[in-house]
Amino acid sequence: MKRDNQIEIILPTDSSWVSLAEDVTRKYAHSCDFAEQLVDMIAFSVNEVCGTLCERASTMKSKLHHPYRLCLSSDEEAVEVSVVFDGSIPLNPLKEKPYEVPDEFTDLDDMVIDSMWLILLKHRMDRVFFAIDGATHSLHLVKYRRGKGKEREVWIMNLKPKLDNGVFVNRQSPDGIGYVQEYKSGKILRLGAAEMDAVSKMDGETCIRDIFMEAMMNGLRVSPKLYIRLYDELLENGMIHQENSGERSFVQRCKDSLGNLVFTVPHSDEIAEWFHRHFRFFFTSVGTVLSLLIGLSGFYPLCMTIDDMVAIYHDSYRLMIDNVWILVAVYGIASTSVILHELAHAGACKHYGGKVPRMGVMAYLSSLIFFCDVTSSYLFPKKQHRVMVALAGPMATFVFWGVSLWVFLLTVSPAWKLVWMAIVVMETFVLIMNFNPLLKMDSYYMLTEWLGIENMRTKAFVILSNWAKRMVRIHSVPLKIPQSEVKPLFAYALLGGFFTLVFYILPLAYCVYLLFFTTDSGWVKFSWAVFLSLILLFNVFRMLVLKWDNIRHQRYNLTRM
């Protein structure tokens, strides 16, 4: 976040200039009307940083490093000091990525002993961040304003945070547990009763101190550290409103749209309630068994019509030429199946007491798919209810698959037989994908709920990546995961990697080989090359947009705090 009253001075890495940096900082903090005790903390911290920087620079063999910049800025909440220096100076103990210096010594497992001065620095300042921009590193120090007599109060207590407009808060559990969700990115945070109490009061006008005092009076177990941790999580996930974000340009809005193509249906919860009210029976135990039997019954017409399907397949080209409406019929029926799949998720969520805030269409793997937001099911106390919400969609598809086979058996028209055969084939692939836990689809969420491991796929591939880095002696980012989860996650990552290689990468490579090395027609090669290139460029562009947003938000965190 851009602060006001910015000044910048350039200083050589000579310790004789450190006193000037301290004096300038002291006068600047005074001009911001900070209390004397806070001014001393800021000035002494700048003296410590600049002195240490000059000392480290003097011990280097090469003296050809650039001067450093001291940047001072402020707003109504805080004063921020940024020291921008040559990355070759060994001031930053972790050079791989931006990070915040933690409060406790126990969190510094990867730091060497001569970096403990940062902990002492953290005791004076509220936030201490390192940032990296190529060969240039920077250390950010932030001190928040306190009232007179409250100079030693924890910095979070005076803030008045406000949730961003796109953040949805849901607290439906009787014990106060709930979640917050950022619609643009889809990020979700499960929160306890005390955190939900605080989030529900973040309106930009109520300070954390008032929220803390009211929570204490209501008997909630709270502490300043709890609010700091909550604020950091919300900020990291882009859920805190940025006051000076300004009006977004047309190009920025287009870029945001490409990075997050989502079209929602209004009154989603009412639609889900209507569907549940009319099809409530299928969400009961008896209805679930009946749905399973309907799906299984499809194997009888499947066995009886194998020869017919083969004959229809061989005659499919002629049938499609003579009946151009077949593709429209297939698309319409397939879309109906997908909508029923998502409505089944929504109905199951409503059946167990949840809410469905969004349904609609979103971009996924270069195509548009229907989606249903059943995040509220995460709060269901019973594991089987959460699993049933994830299972409801595939179960509806299984029912549709069974019914489609019976329709194929009873249909006389060859053209309509081709339509229903195409639907059966498509539904078969959908079922295979939905019941494959190695893909991030319904069975994956069933597995994560059953095992009780959140973000299973992400954690699994981080563990695999760290293992591979250790094999080649590359520094890996530590991930705090219970030891009991490491082995199943590692096994999941290996299976997921093998599945991706065998069923995606190798078949794609084989198709490219057939296309470019066995096809004689130049127009065919050119057309397929253009088509595949467009898909690749679209996905790469979306990935870069999302990556840029993450980098921009990370930099925002470093300057906003």
Side-chain angles (χ1 to χ4, degrees):
M1 178 177 178
K2 184 178 179 181
R3 299 187 188 276
D4 303 322
N5 307 319
Q6 299 186 32
I7 65 171
E8 178 180 317
I9 58 175
I10 300 176
L11 298 168
T13 51
D14 186 338
S15 58
S16 61
W17 294 91
V18 172
S19 58
L20 174 62
E22 179 181 348
D23 290 342
V24 170
T25 303
R26 186 179 296 277
K27 291 180 180 179
Y28 182 85
H30 273 304
S31 69
C32 297
D33 199 26
F34 265 56
E36 186 65 33
Q37 190 173 358
L38 299 180
V39 171
D40 289 340
M41 292 179 183
I42 299 171
F44 290 154
S45 298
V46 170
N47 183 292
E48 179 74 20
V49 172
C50 295
T52 304
L53 179 66
C54 295
E55 180 185 346
R56 300 285 174 89
S58 65
T59 61
M60 298 176 60
K61 294 181 180 180
S62 174
K63 306 295 182 181
L64 300 177
H65 45 261
H66 299 287
Y68 67 95
R69 290 183 289 132
L70 178 66
C71 308
L72 305 171
S73 59
S74 65
D75 60 17
E76 60 183 13
E77 288 184 349
V79 165
E80 178 179 346
V81 180
S82 301
V83 180
V84 184
F85 58 96
D86 187 344
S88 62
I89 302 175
L91 189 69
N92 182 358
L94 295 179
K95 297 183 178 182
E96 286 77 10
K97 64 174 185 177
Y99 70 97
E100 180 179 7
V101 177
D103 295 304
E104 305 295 336
F105 285 90
T106 54
D107 291 331
L108 293 175
D109 296 333
D110 295 329
M111 289 191 181
V112 292
I113 194 68
D114 63 349
S115 298
M116 295 305 175
W117 64 278
L118 291 169
I119 292 296
L120 301 178
L121 188 66
K122 186 65 180 284
H123 284 310
R124 291 197 189 106
M125 303 299 290
D126 296 324
R127 315 304 296 260
V128 180
F129 291 91
F130 275 105
I132 299 175
D133 185 10
T136 302
H137 292 203
S138 56
L139 178 59
H140 301 256
L141 314 175
V142 180
K143 193 68 178 179
Y144 288 95
R145 189 184 302 275
R146 275 85 155 173
K148 188 174 181 180
K150 298 179 180 178
E151 291 85 357
R152 290 290 179 180
E153 187 178 58
V154 180
W155 61 269
I156 190 70
M157 305 304 281
N158 203 46
L159 292 188
K160 298 178 180 179
K162 179 182 178 181
L163 294 181
D164 200 41
N165 294 331
V167 177
F168 175 76
V169 181
N170 188 339
R171 179 166 60 178
Q172 62 187 41
S173 176
D175 55 5
I177 297 175
Y179 70 88
V180 291
Q181 179 179 8
E182 207 279 308
Y183 278 154
K184 180 182 176 182
S185 64
K187 293 180 179 178
I188 301 168
L189 295 178
R190 291 192 194 184
L191 302 175
E195 290 93 337
M196 286 301 299
D197 175 75
V199 165
S200 64
K201 298 172 183 175
M202 290 184 177
D203 53 8
E205 299 179 357
T206 308
C207 67
I208 296 294
R209 184 189 304 106
D210 295 337
I211 296 175
F212 172 74
M213 295 303 296
E214 186 175 346
M216 291 284 289
M217 293 176 63
N218 292 334
L220 294 174
R221 298 182 61 180
V222 292
S223 67
K225 284 189 176 181
L226 180 143
Y227 292 116
I228 292 175
R229 185 169 61 250
L230 173 63
Y231 182 80
D232 284 345
E233 286 191 49
L234 294 171
L235 192 65
E236 182 180 353
N237 288 280
M239 298 180 181
I240 294 294
H241 179 65
Q242 305 177 19
E243 290 292 343
N244 295 337
S245 57
E247 184 68 23
R248 301 186 65 77
S249 67
F250 174 77
V251 175
Q252 289 174 322
R253 292 196 299 269
C254 291
K255 183 167 66 67
D256 290 343
S257 299
L258 286 172
N260 187 48
L261 292 173
V262 177
F263 308 96
T264 56
V265 176
H267 309 294
S268 299
D269 196 59
E270 289 84 348
I271 295 173
E273 179 62 37
W274 177 90
F275 184 82
H276 173 253
R277 186 168 61 250
H278 287 79
F279 299 93
R280 183 191 302 269
F281 169 75
F282 288 96
F283 301 106
T284 63
S285 300
V286 177
T288 302
V289 173
L290 178 61
S291 299
L292 181 62
L293 292 176
I294 294 174
L296 290 173
S297 70
F299 284 100
Y300 175 77
L302 176 64
C303 296
M304 297 292 292
T305 58
I306 289 293
D307 293 337
D308 286 347
M309 288 187 178
V310 173
I312 291 294
Y313 171 74
H314 288 298
D315 199 30
S316 60
Y317 181 77
R318 182 190 64 79
L319 290 172
M320 291 181 64
I321 294 297
D322 295 341
N323 303 275
V324 293
W325 53 266
I326 287 179
L327 290 178
V328 177
V330 170
Y331 183 81
I333 297 173
S335 298
T336 302
S337 171
V338 173
I339 292 173
L340 287 175
H341 177 106
E342 298 304 328
L343 286 174
H345 284 305
C349 185
K350 296 298 293 184
H351 185 73
Y352 297 112
K355 294 181 179 180
V356 182
R358 290 195 310 165
M359 287 191 290
V361 181
M362 66 183 295
Y364 181 75
L365 296 179
S366 305
S367 61
L368 295 177
I369 63 169
F370 294 94
F371 75 93
C372 177
D373 186 351
V374 291
T375 312
S376 60
S377 64
Y378 294 169
L379 303 180
F380 295 162
K382 293 184 178 180
K383 181 191 298 184
Q384 59 266 34
H385 291 173
R386 300 195 298 270
V387 172
M388 287 303 297
V389 172
L391 179 62
M395 185 64 73
T397 302
F398 189 45
V399 170
F400 203 91
W401 179 82
V403 171
S404 299
L405 281 163
W406 280 104
V407 174
F408 177 84
L409 176 65
L410 299 175
T411 299
V412 177
S413 169
W416 277 106
K417 276 187 173 291
L418 178 59
V419 169
W420 288 106
M421 187 185 76
I423 294 298
V424 167
V425 172
M426 294 172 64
E427 296 300 302
T428 301
F429 279 106
V430 169
L431 286 171
I432 292 173
M433 294 177 66
N434 273 285
F435 283 106
N436 181 4
L438 300 177
L439 295 176
K440 202 169 183 181
M441 299 186 76
D442 291 326
S443 61
Y444 165 80
Y445 293 104
M446 284 186 270
L447 181 64
T448 57
E449 291 294 351
W450 190 258
L451 297 178
I453 303 177
E454 297 181 358
N455 301 318
M456 183 174 177
R457 186 177 179 85
T458 302
K459 292 178 181 178
F461 282 102
V462 169
I463 290 175
L464 183 63
S465 174
N466 286 348
W467 174 79
K469 289 178 180 178
R470 286 195 298 269
M471 292 296 101
V472 294
R473 300 183 181 279
I474 297 177
H475 176 79
S476 60
V477 180
L479 186 64
K480 295 181 179 180
I481 296 177
Q483 194 62 32
S484 59
E485 297 181 3
V486 172
K487 288 184 178 180
L489 288 174
F490 186 73
Y492 180 88
L494 289 177
L495 288 173
F498 177 78
F499 180 86
T500 302
L501 175 66
V502 173
F503 294 98
Y504 281 89
I505 298 177
L506 293 181
L508 179 60
Y510 182 68
C511 289
V512 171
Y513 168 77
L514 292 178
L515 175 63
F516 291 101
F517 296 99
T518 63
T519 303
D520 295 329
S521 174
W523 280 106
V524 172
K525 291 181 180 180
F526 177 77
S527 301
W528 276 103
V530 170
F531 177 71
L532 294 174
S533 298
L534 289 175
I535 292 178
L536 179 63
L537 287 173
F538 178 79
N539 280 281
V540 169
F541 184 72
R542 287 191 71 237
M543 180 185 68
L544 291 176
V545 168
L546 296 175
K547 184 69 174 177
W548 170 249
D549 283 344
N550 291 336
I551 294 173
R552 184 184 62 186
H553 184 70
Q554 192 174 48
R555 288 180 178 172
Y556 161 76
N557 284 348
L558 294 171
T559 57
R560 169 67 181 86
M561 303 299 286

